[in-house]
Amino acid sequence: MSIPNDDFGKSPDEYSPQPSGAPGQGPEEFDPNADYSSSEIQVASAQSVGTMPTEDDLLAAKQALIKQLGGSEVIASAQSAAGTPEVSGLENIKAVGVGMRETGGAYTGELVVKVYVQTKAPQSRISASTVIPSEIDGIPTDVEAIGEIRPLGYTGRYPRPVPCGVSCGHVNITAGTIGCLVILNNNRLCILSNNHVLANENAANLRDPIVQPGRYDQGAYPNDLIGVLERFEPISFTSPNLVDAAVAWTSRGQVSSRHVTYQMSPTPLASAISLSVMKNGRTTQSTQGVITAHRVDNVVVGYSGGRATFNDQIIVRGIGSAPFSQSGDSGSIVVSSGSKQPVGLLFAGSSTHTIINPIATVMRTLGIRQLVAG
């Protein structure tokens, strides 16, 4: 889709980023000695309780269980199977990761290998080959119902510049959420959100218009234009994914770095089990939650274009009875409740669980040089 010859249509050489600091200054320069890859971000470890297994032990046990179930490819391919009311098999398994044991709706703090299923079933109805053992290589396991996982992507028009955390989207989708502002390695100021929010599940073209609010919320091109699609990581429906992420080129005249209810730190933070987190999102607005599992593989998400599998994901549960997210919150940045450091990019969930991409993976995949504080 073509756009007017305005600021968004300039060539890279013509573009001059809006200031992110004092007047007359360009975006703050990224520290060339810093490395925001996941190996450089310190992972806060859970408190030791008795003989709590190490992270390496847990990850090794997780991989052993996946192998015992037939391997990641077999689990992923089983998602197209319908299953029967009488027998529950691999199609019922929606993710495998490392997290806290759930008992009676509460988390005990015990670290285990987590198996997330769409619905729990009595052992008599479970295929013998997919019965989850009580432990794997000496590490306890826990089965938790997660329901059907879907991308979260569906409230008004804000005065420009709009804050992060509100409705936006590609002109052909319903609506999602503006995550935060970032600076790419080409020095462009961009909105960070999901592929299915900004790139219409791979169907968009670069430079397609992005509007605020999203089309579902009565946003329309050209009056509500806030940017154009700059980059996206394609979603694969045949091999595992790591992120559902995209960026749209914008300016500070269109989007502010501030969030609706908090000020974000620009320093990424790796996930840690039991870490308290929060987010601003288009539908549920400001919510609090806790990370209950991470390093979660074989997360099966049902898109309009088919089912896609994601590895190395983070799972968040809301605090209390309210959900952490709902449809329309896709693209929200999830930050630590205390320091407001970004932990991940929200993209999918069920009625009870929220799935987020690790922020370091998102940055590395999209070539994000810097997150913009605000």
Side-chain angles (χ1 to χ4, degrees):
M1 182 178 293
S2 63
I3 61 171
N5 186 19
D6 55 14
D7 286 344
F8 298 120
K10 293 179 180 178
S11 69
D13 293 337
E14 295 173 308
Y15 178 67
S16 177
Q18 295 281 341
S20 64
Q25 295 181 348
E28 181 180 351
E29 292 296 322
F30 183 74
D31 181 357
N33 298 316
D35 182 1
Y36 287 102
S37 66
S38 56
S39 63
E40 294 296 317
I41 299 177
Q42 296 299 311
V43 178
S45 60
Q47 293 291 322
S48 297
V49 179
T51 57
M52 186 172 289
T54 67
E55 181 86 354
D56 287 344
D57 291 338
L58 288 158
L59 293 175
K62 180 193 77 170
Q63 291 305 127
L65 180 59
I66 290 173
K67 183 177 180 180
Q68 181 174 307
L69 291 170
S72 295
E73 292 185 2
V74 172
I75 296 172
S77 64
Q79 298 308 310
S80 59
T84 70
E86 294 77 25
V87 180
S88 187
L90 282 178
E91 79 288 340
N92 195 40
I93 296 175
K94 299 303 176 185
V96 182
V98 172
M100 292 185 287
R101 181 183 295 280
E102 182 195 34
T103 302
Y107 288 98
T108 65
E110 179 187 5
L111 296 182
V112 296
V113 174
K114 297 285 294 189
V115 179
Y116 293 95
V117 296
Q118 183 166 337
T119 57
K120 280 193 172 182
Q123 186 162 332
S124 61
R125 285 179 45 204
I126 301 174
S127 170
S129 62
T130 57
V131 172
I132 305 302
S134 60
E135 63 177 44
I136 183 80
D137 292 349
I139 304 297
T141 65
D142 183 43
V143 178
E144 183 175 337
I146 194 171
E148 179 71 14
I149 304 172
R150 297 181 175 88
L152 300 175
Y154 268 52
T155 93
R157 187 186 195 277
Y158 282 73
R160 274 50 176 163
V162 303
C164 296
V166 302
S167 173
C168 79
H170 183 278
V171 288
N172 291 334
I173 70 129
T174 50
T177 297
I178 298 173
C180 68
L181 288 181
V182 300
I183 298 172
L184 302 186
N185 51 18
N186 65 2
N187 212 38
R188 286 188 169 175
L189 184 71
C190 288
I191 297 163
L192 173 62
S193 191
N194 297 142
N195 172 315
H196 76 269
V197 173
L198 301 181
N200 192 19
E201 292 186 25
N202 305 337
N205 296 311
L206 297 183
R207 301 295 179 89
D208 274 3
I210 307 301
V211 294
Q212 194 291 314
R215 182 170 60 87
Y216 184 87
D217 300 318
Q218 312 307 311
Y221 174 78
N223 291 342
D224 296 310
L225 180 73
I226 58 167
V228 294
L229 181 62
E230 172 73 11
R231 293 178 185 171
F232 64 93
E233 177 68 8
I235 298 169
S236 173
F237 296 97
T238 58
S239 58
N241 300 272
L242 293 177
V243 300
D244 175 344
V247 288
W249 186 12
T250 191
S251 73
R252 286 184 176 270
Q254 298 295 326
V255 181
S256 168
S257 61
R258 70 180 180 88
H259 288 71
V260 179
T261 67
Y262 69 92
Q263 183 170 346
M264 187 188 82
S265 163
T267 306
L269 180 68
S271 66
I273 295 172
S274 77
L275 179 69
S276 177
V277 293
M278 67 171 292
K279 71 99 184 71
N280 285 167
R282 176 258 176 204
T283 305
T284 57
Q285 301 177 39
S286 181
T287 57
Q288 300 280 336
V290 63
I291 292 175
T292 60
H294 67 177
R295 307 290 183 86
V296 182
D297 294 340
N298 291 101
V299 179
V300 182
V301 182
Y303 289 87
S304 61
R307 293 180 177 271
T309 300
F310 288 79
N311 287 342
D312 195 27
Q313 302 300 296
I314 301 166
I315 291 183
V316 175
R317 297 290 301 270
I319 295 175
S321 59
F324 185 71
S325 66
Q326 291 181 339
S327 291
D329 290 328
S330 281
S332 301
I333 288 294
V334 176
V335 301
S336 59
S337 297
S339 64
K340 305 298 186 292
Q341 291 175 259
V343 177
L345 179 66
L346 190 159
F347 82 104
S350 64
S351 60
T352 53
H353 297 65
T354 295
I355 317 297
I356 66 176
N357 306 145
I359 192 63
T361 309
V362 172
M363 293 178 69
R364 182 172 60 249
T365 302
L366 291 180
I368 295 172
R369 192 180 72 185
Q370 180 183 350
L371 304 172
V372 179

Coordinates of all heavy atoms in Angstrom, one line a residue, residues 146-191:
I146 N -3.7 -25.2 30.4 CA -3.5 -23.8 29.9 C -4.6 -23.4 29.0 O -4.7 -22.2 28.7 CB -2.1 -23.7 29.2 CG1 -1.7 -22.3 29.0 CG2 -2.1 -24.5 27.9 CD1 -0.2 -22.2 28.5
G147 N -5.4 -24.3 28.4 CA -6.4 -24.0 27.5 C -5.8 -23.9 26.1 O -4.7 -24.2 25.8
E148 N -6.6 -23.3 25.1 CA -6.2 -23.1 23.8 C -5.4 -21.7 23.7 O -5.9 -20.7 24.2 CB -7.4 -23.0 22.8 CG -7.0 -22.7 21.4 CD -6.3 -23.9 20.7 OE1 -6.3 -25.0 21.2 OE2 -5.7 -23.7 19.6
I149 N -4.2 -21.7 23.2 CA -3.4 -20.5 23.1 C -3.6 -19.8 21.8 O -3.5 -20.4 20.7 CB -1.9 -20.8 23.3 CG1 -1.7 -21.6 24.6 CG2 -1.0 -19.6 23.3 CD1 -0.2 -22.1 24.8
R150 N -3.9 -18.5 21.8 CA -4.2 -17.8 20.6 C -3.4 -16.5 20.7 O -3.1 -16.0 21.7 CB -5.6 -17.4 20.5 CG -6.6 -18.6 20.4 CD -8.0 -18.2 20.2 NE -8.9 -19.3 20.0 CZ -9.4 -20.1 20.9 NH1 -9.2 -19.8 22.2 NH2 -10.2 -21.1 20.6
P151 N -3.0 -15.9 19.5 CA -2.4 -14.6 19.5 C -3.4 -13.6 20.0 O -4.6 -13.6 19.7 CB -2.1 -14.3 18.0 CG -3.0 -15.2 17.3 CD -3.2 -16.4 18.1
L152 N -2.9 -12.6 20.9 CA -3.8 -11.6 21.4 C -3.7 -10.4 20.6 O -2.8 -9.6 20.7 CB -3.4 -11.4 22.9 CG -3.4 -12.6 23.8 CD1 -2.9 -12.2 25.2 CD2 -4.8 -13.1 23.9
G153 N -4.7 -10.1 19.7 CA -4.6 -9.0 18.8 C -5.9 -8.4 18.4 O -6.3 -8.5 17.3
Y154 N -6.6 -7.8 19.0 CA -7.7 -7.0 18.5 C -7.5 -5.6 18.5 O -6.6 -5.2 19.0 CB -8.9 -7.3 19.4 CG -9.7 -8.4 18.9 CD1 -9.1 -9.6 18.5 CD2 -11.1 -8.3 18.6 CE1 -9.8 -10.6 18.1 CE2 -11.8 -9.3 18.1 CZ -11.2 -10.4 17.9 OH -11.9 -11.5 17.3
T155 N -9.1 3.1 24.3 CA -9.4 2.4 23.1 C -9.8 3.5 22.1 O -9.9 3.1 21.0 CB -10.6 1.4 23.4 OG1 -11.7 1.9 23.1 CG2 -10.2 0.3 24.2
G156 N -9.5 4.4 22.3 CA -9.8 5.5 21.5 C -8.6 6.2 20.8 O -7.5 5.7 21.0
R157 N -8.8 7.2 20.1 CA -7.8 8.0 19.5 C -7.2 8.9 20.5 O -7.9 9.7 21.1 CB -8.3 8.7 18.3 CG -7.2 9.4 17.5 CD -7.8 10.3 16.4 NE -6.8 10.7 15.4 CZ -5.9 11.7 15.5 NH1 -5.9 12.4 16.6 NH2 -5.0 11.9 14.6
Y158 N -5.9 8.9 20.7 CA -5.2 9.7 21.6 C -4.6 10.9 20.9 O -4.2 10.8 19.7 CB -4.0 9.0 22.3 CG -4.5 8.1 23.4 CD1 -5.1 6.9 23.1 CD2 -4.2 8.4 24.8 CE1 -5.5 6.0 24.1 CE2 -4.6 7.5 25.8 CZ -5.3 6.4 25.5 OH -5.7 5.5 26.5
P159 N -4.5 12.1 21.6 CA -3.8 13.2 21.0 C -2.4 12.9 20.7 O -1.8 12.1 21.4 CB -3.9 14.3 22.1 CG -5.0 13.9 22.9 CD -5.0 12.4 22.9
R160 N -1.8 13.3 19.6 CA -0.4 13.1 19.2 C 0.5 14.0 20.1 O 0.1 15.1 20.3 CB -0.2 13.3 17.7 CG -0.5 12.1 16.8 CD -1.8 11.5 17.1 NE -2.1 10.4 16.1 CZ -3.0 9.5 16.2 NH1 -3.8 9.5 17.3 NH2 -3.2 8.5 15.3
P161 N 1.6 13.4 20.5 CA 2.1 12.1 20.4 C 1.4 11.1 21.4 O 1.1 11.5 22.5 CB 3.6 12.2 20.7 CG 3.6 13.3 21.7 CD 2.6 14.3 21.2
V162 N 1.0 9.9 20.9 CA 0.3 9.0 21.7 C 1.2 8.3 22.7 O 2.4 8.1 22.4 CB -0.5 8.0 20.8 CG1 -1.4 8.7 19.8 CG2 0.5 7.0 20.1
P163 N 0.7 7.8 23.9 CA 1.6 7.1 24.8 C 1.7 5.6 24.4 O 0.9 5.1 23.6 CB 0.8 7.2 26.1 CG -0.6 7.3 25.7 CD -0.6 8.1 24.4
C164 N 2.7 5.0 24.8 CA 2.8 3.5 24.6 C 1.8 2.8 25.5 O 1.5 3.2 26.6 CB 4.3 3.1 24.9 SG 5.5 3.8 23.9
G165 N 1.4 1.6 25.0 CA 0.4 0.8 25.7 C -1.0 1.0 25.3 O -1.9 0.4 25.9
V166 N -1.2 1.7 24.2 CA -2.6 1.9 23.7 C -2.8 1.2 22.3 O -1.9 0.7 21.7 CB -2.9 3.4 23.6 CG1 -2.7 4.0 25.0 CG2 -2.0 4.1 22.6
S167 N -4.0 1.3 21.8 CA -4.4 0.6 20.6 C -3.7 1.1 19.4 O -3.5 2.3 19.2 CB -5.9 0.8 20.4 OG -6.4 0.3 19.1
C168 N -3.3 0.1 18.5 CA -2.7 0.5 17.2 C -2.8 -0.8 16.3 O -3.3 -1.8 16.8 CB -1.2 0.9 17.4 SG -0.1 -0.6 17.6
G169 N -2.3 -0.7 15.1 CA -2.3 -1.8 14.2 C -2.1 -1.5 12.8 O -2.2 -0.4 12.4
H170 N -1.7 -2.5 12.0 CA -1.7 -2.4 10.6 C -3.1 -2.1 10.1 O -4.1 -2.6 10.7 CB -1.2 -3.8 10.0 CG -1.0 -3.8 8.5 ND1 -2.1 -4.0 7.7 CD2 0.0 -3.7 7.7 CE1 -1.7 -4.0 6.4 NE2 -0.4 -3.8 6.4
V171 N -3.2 -1.4 9.0 CA -4.6 -1.0 8.5 C -5.5 -2.2 8.2 O -6.7 -2.0 8.2 CB -4.5 -0.1 7.3 CG1 -3.9 1.3 7.7 CG2 -3.6 -0.7 6.2
N172 N -5.0 -3.4 8.1 CA -5.8 -4.5 7.7 C -6.1 -5.5 8.8 O -6.7 -6.5 8.6 CB -5.2 -5.3 6.5 CG -5.2 -4.5 5.2 OD1 -6.1 -3.6 5.1 ND2 -4.3 -4.8 4.3
I173 N -5.6 -5.2 10.1 CA -5.9 -6.1 11.2 C -6.9 -5.4 12.1 O -7.4 -4.2 11.9 CB -4.6 -6.4 12.0 CG1 -4.1 -5.2 12.8 CG2 -3.6 -7.0 11.1 CD1 -3.8 -5.5 14.2
T174 N -7.3 -6.1 13.2 CA -8.3 -5.5 14.1 C -7.6 -4.4 15.0 O -7.7 -3.2 14.7 CB -8.9 -6.6 15.0 OG1 -7.8 -7.4 15.5 CG2 -9.8 -7.4 14.1
A175 N -6.9 -4.9 16.0 CA -6.1 -3.9 16.9 C -5.2 -4.7 17.8 O -5.5 -5.8 18.2 CB -7.1 -3.0 17.7
G176 N -4.1 -4.1 18.1 CA -3.1 -4.6 19.1 C -2.7 -3.5 19.9 O -3.4 -2.5 20.1
T177 N -1.4 -3.5 20.4 CA -0.9 -2.5 21.4 C 0.4 -2.0 21.0 O 1.3 -2.8 20.5 CB -0.8 -3.2 22.8 OG1 -2.1 -3.5 23.2 CG2 -0.2 -2.2 23.8
I178 N 0.7 -0.7 21.1 CA 2.0 -0.1 21.0 C 2.8 -0.6 22.2 O 2.5 -0.3 23.3 CB 1.9 1.4 21.0 CG1 1.1 1.9 19.8 CG2 3.4 2.0 21.0 CD1 0.9 3.4 19.8
G179 N 4.0 -1.3 21.9 CA 4.8 -1.8 23.0 C 5.6 -0.7 23.6 O 5.4 -0.2 24.8
C180 N 6.6 -0.2 22.9 CA 7.5 0.9 23.3 C 8.2 1.4 22.1 O 8.1 0.9 21.0 CB 8.5 0.4 24.4 SG 9.8 -0.8 23.8
L181 N 9.0 2.5 22.3 CA 9.9 3.0 21.3 C 11.2 2.4 21.3 O 11.8 2.1 22.4 CB 10.0 4.5 21.4 CG 8.7 5.3 21.0 CD1 9.0 6.8 21.2 CD2 8.2 5.0 19.6
V182 N 11.8 2.1 20.2 CA 13.2 1.6 20.1 C 14.0 2.3 19.0 O 13.4 3.0 18.1 CB 13.1 0.1 19.7 CG1 12.4 -0.7 20.8 CG2 12.5 -0.2 18.4
I183 N 15.3 2.2 19.1 CA 16.1 2.7 18.0 C 16.8 1.5 17.4 O 17.5 0.7 18.0 CB 17.2 3.7 18.6 CG1 16.5 4.9 19.2 CG2 18.1 4.2 17.5 CD1 17.4 5.8 20.0
L184 N 16.7 1.4 16.1 CA 17.3 0.3 15.3 C 18.7 0.6 15.0 O 19.3 1.7 15.2 CB 16.5 0.1 14.0 CG 15.0 -0.2 14.1 CD1 14.5 -0.6 12.7 CD2 14.7 -1.3 15.1
N185 N 19.4 -0.5 14.5 CA 20.8 -0.3 14.1 C 21.0 0.6 12.9 O 22.1 0.9 12.5 CB 21.5 -1.7 13.9 CG 20.7 -2.6 13.0 OD1 19.8 -2.1 12.2 ND2 21.0 -3.9 13.0
N186 N 19.9 1.0 12.2 CA 20.0 1.9 11.1 C 19.6 3.3 11.6 O 19.5 4.3 10.8 CB 19.1 1.5 9.9 CG 17.6 1.6 10.3 OD1 17.2 1.9 11.4 ND2 16.7 1.2 9.4
N187 N 19.5 3.5 12.9 CA 19.3 4.8 13.6 C 17.8 5.3 13.5 O 17.5 6.4 13.8 CB 20.2 5.9 13.1 CG 20.6 6.9 14.2 OD1 20.7 6.5 15.3 ND2 20.7 8.2 13.8
R188 N 16.9 4.4 13.0 CA 15.5 4.9 12.9 C 14.8 4.6 14.2 O 14.9 3.6 14.9 CB 14.8 4.1 11.8 CG 15.2 4.6 10.4 CD 14.4 4.0 9.3 NE 14.7 4.7 8.1 CZ 14.1 4.4 6.9 NH1 13.3 3.3 6.8 NH2 14.4 5.0 5.8
L189 N 13.9 5.6 14.6 CA 13.1 5.5 15.7 C 11.8 4.7 15.3 O 11.2 5.1 14.3 CB 12.7 6.9 16.2 CG 11.8 7.0 17.5 CD1 12.7 6.7 18.7 CD2 11.2 8.4 17.6
C190 N 11.5 3.7 16.1 CA 10.4 2.8 15.7 C 9.6 2.4 16.9 O 10.0 2.4 18.0 CB 11.0 1.5 15.1 SG 11.7 1.7 13.4
I191 N 8.3 2.0 16.5 CA 7.4 1.4 17.5 C 7.7 -0.1 17.5 O 7.9 -0.7 16.4 CB 5.9 1.6 17.0 CG1 5.6 3.0 17.0 CG2 5.0 0.7 17.9 CD1 4.3 3.3 16.2

